[in-house]
Amino acid sequence: MSKLGLLWANLFRRRTRTLLTLLSLLVAMLLFILLRTISLVFTDGSGFSPASVDRLVVAAKYSIIDSLPISALQQIQAVEGVDAVTHAEWFGGVYQDGADFFPKFPVDPKAYFDLHPEFHIDPEQLQAFINTRSGAVAPKDMAEKYGWRIGDKIPIQGDIWGKRDGSRNWEFDLVGLYTGVDEDRSPGVLLLHYDYFDEAREYDSGTTGWFIVRLADGERAAEVANRIDQLFANSSDPTRTSTEAEQQRQFMQQIGDIELMMSGILGAVFFTILLLTGNTMAQSLRERVPELAVLKAVGFGDAAVAALVLGEAVLLCLLGGVLGAALALLVALVIGPGMEQAIGVFEVRATTVAAALGLSAALGLAVGAFPAFRARRLSIIEALRAV
Amino acid sequence: MALVRCQDLQKSFVKGRETVEVLDGINLEIQQGDFLALMGPSGSGKTTLLNLIGGLDHPSAGAVEVGGVPLNEMSARQLAKWRAENIGFVFQFYNLLPVLSAQRNVELPLLLTPLSSRQRKANAATALKIVGLEDRAKHKPGELSGGQQQRVAIARAIVADPTLLVCDEPTGDLDRETADEILSLLEVLNQEHGKTIIMVTHDPKAAERAAQVLRMDKGRLAQEAA
Ligand SMILES: Nc1ncnc2c1ncn2[C@@H]1O[C@H](COP(=O)(O)OP(=O)(O)OP(=O)(O)O)[C@@H](O)[C@H]1O
Ligand SMILES: [Mg+2]
């Protein structure tokens, strides 16, 4: 037996109690790692396409579901400070059994890629997209995921949009693949040919969801946005124009709220754990007063006995942390693919695991400090008299 | 030379505003190899005296020397180290660690020595053999009878080979027969292994087994022949 063996043996003095404490620690660490992983994705923006400051988005003023007349494109184009305009629309639609959703935008192929230089596509494939009315281009990783090859037909069940012939079965020819700025940031959208979509849909022809504007001068975004909104202020389709960066800022603000909420949840969890584990430790100490006195009697110093008590708390918490981290990694494996659909990336980082273990150790020190202090001060003769 | 020497030993406890005089000028010499029984009414100060000789507590006044070492001049840290090397304790309620096997309980004091893990195991096994419990090494205290637990406690007291065994009512919680077995074991340790033993007891039959009996009353000693 070693001193560590002594620590270990003490941990299992009350198996059920230790097990319950371990379980609560495990759940707390699991929560910590998963929530932290999610909030990291948002805060460092690894899940999103980069915003461009020199682009504006023009949408219907009151609801993003409302559409705008395609004819507005000419008017926006004529606004001073606007360099180029294109448009996109939300298609909705279900692929296969609808288990995973991905967005699909009907766009003007040439103008859309022209306004998004961060998307890369082979020029020949772009030309094919322009020429093929039933064409579609997919992000490379999406094509890999569903096993699509150029030339395949992609069937989509329309939910928002039916066809003029009464059917809801859309079919698109995959004519090209495109990528985002870098490998890990998939554009995530299947692009469809607007002309075909507009002609085939059963209602709302001649409209689009929103316009994307490239500014001649990124510095004057506010001014140009104002001008556009004023242009349509008294029309039947008033608009709201904001920069992509602004949109993301608004989104980030919501994320900030999410972060606050997560911190709140974690704070509550850790406070509970602190009380729970602290209580376990205090109880365990009370039961052991005579034993600790005997340890001191046979020659263990005050510091050694204190270290024993503190070590037990740290060992217990670390054990909970390690088990929680292991479970978190396992859970991440299972829910990872689903989470990636929802938020782009979902990867438990080594630093997050390290933070969880650090937190466990700190928790151990926090709950062990007071019992250790009491153990240190414990008087041998008083304790033995109490038997 | 005497192994234990107490000179005008005094001990008082302060409880709130009251000061309780528990030991009132004890003068005592115990020779190496003695087996001494300490008797007296409850509250007469027997445990308190034992604690001072065992280096568990400091006297309020006077001197206590064991093996030429002045305990009253030592710090708590020095005393802890000294106890580990020189004293074996046996208590009325055994005070074993319930989570450890008999073998590991006995091994406990050796964790403070530089002995190797293998040597510690061997010494613990030897001590268990001396008390006749080698076949119970793997048992936890909860799986042993009171007499067996006290044997394990005695094995723990002798494992570091101390010169002095300090026993506070070692048979106080045992039936007659088991008590006699424990007393025989203490006799063997005294006569064959050369341990000096001080034993507090309320049991006259237990005191008979000792070579010498001391009586205490109200914090004072009254010597009488064995
Ligand atoms: N730590 C202490 N604080 C206050 N008073 C104490 C303390 N230790 C002992 N006493 C008092 O000192 C007196 C002697 O106690 P001690 O335990 O030495 O008696 P004892 O002879 O061993 O008695 P018993 O036979 O009941 O074990 C008692 O009155 C007790 O209340
Ligand atoms: Mg007593």
Side-chain angles (χ1 to χ4, degrees), chain B residues 176-192:
Chain B
R176 177 80 263 148
E177 200 176 328
T178 315
D180 284 339
E181 284 168 22
I182 294 294
L183 290 165
S184 301
L185 178 58
L186 290 178
E187 262 174 8
V188 168
L189 291 175
N190 174 243
Q191 282 161 20
E192 288 173 24

Side-chain angles (χ1 to χ4, degrees), chain B residues 4 36 40 55 88 108 145 191 208 211 218:
Chain B
V4 178
L36 182 138
L108 209 54
S145 72
Q191 282 161 20
E208 275 173 23
K218 295 188 184 109

Side-chain angles (χ1 to χ4, degrees), chain A residues 1-3 5-6 9-10 12-13 290-291 294-301 380-381 384-385 387, chain B residues 13 51 56-57 80 83-84 89 91 93 95-100 104 107-109 111-112 120 156:
Chain A
M1 185 181 59
S2 62
K3 285 182 184 164
L6 184 59
N10 267 323
F12 294 95
R13 155 182 318 269
E291 287 173 40
V294 167
L295 283 178
K296 285 192 178 185
V298 302
F300 283 82
I380 305 173
I381 53 163
L384 288 177
R385 264 164 63 84
V387 176
Chain B
F13 291 103
N51 287 344
L56 291 177
D57 204 0
R83 285 195 304 270
F89 290 97
F91 305 100
F93 297 109
N95 286 343
L96 300 173
L97 268 58
V99 290
L100 300 182
R104 289 178 157 200
E107 209 183 312
L108 209 54
L111 288 181
L112 299 163
R120 290 200 302 258
R156 179 179 66 190

Side-chain angles (χ1 to χ4, degrees), chain B residues 46-48 168-169 200:
Chain B
K46 305 181 295 294
T47 298
T48 304
D168 198 349
E169 301 185 40
V200 167

Side-chain angles (χ1 to χ4, degrees), chain A residues 11 24 98 145 156 178 183 186 207 226 230 240 265 297 355 365:
Chain A
L11 218 48
S24 58
K145 181 173 171 192
I156 305 284
Y178 73 112
E183 290 278 304
S186 168
T207 67
N226 226 347
Q230 255 165 29
R240 177 151 74 192
I265 295 174
L365 288 175

Side-chain angles (χ1 to χ4, degrees), chain A residues 379 381-383 385, chain B residues 11-15 20-23 38-51 57 92 168-169 200-202 216 219:
Chain A
S379 140
I381 53 163
E382 298 275 356
R385 264 164 63 84
Chain B
K11 179 72 186 176
S12 52
F13 291 103
V14 183
K15 237 186 195 164
V20 189
E21 297 280 347
V22 178
L23 296 183
L38 194 58
M39 297 192 74
S42 203
S44 56
K46 305 181 295 294
T47 298
T48 304
L49 177 58
L50 220 54
N51 287 344
D57 204 0
Q92 179 177 356
D168 198 349
E169 301 185 40
V200 167
T201 183
H202 283 291
M216 274 195 85

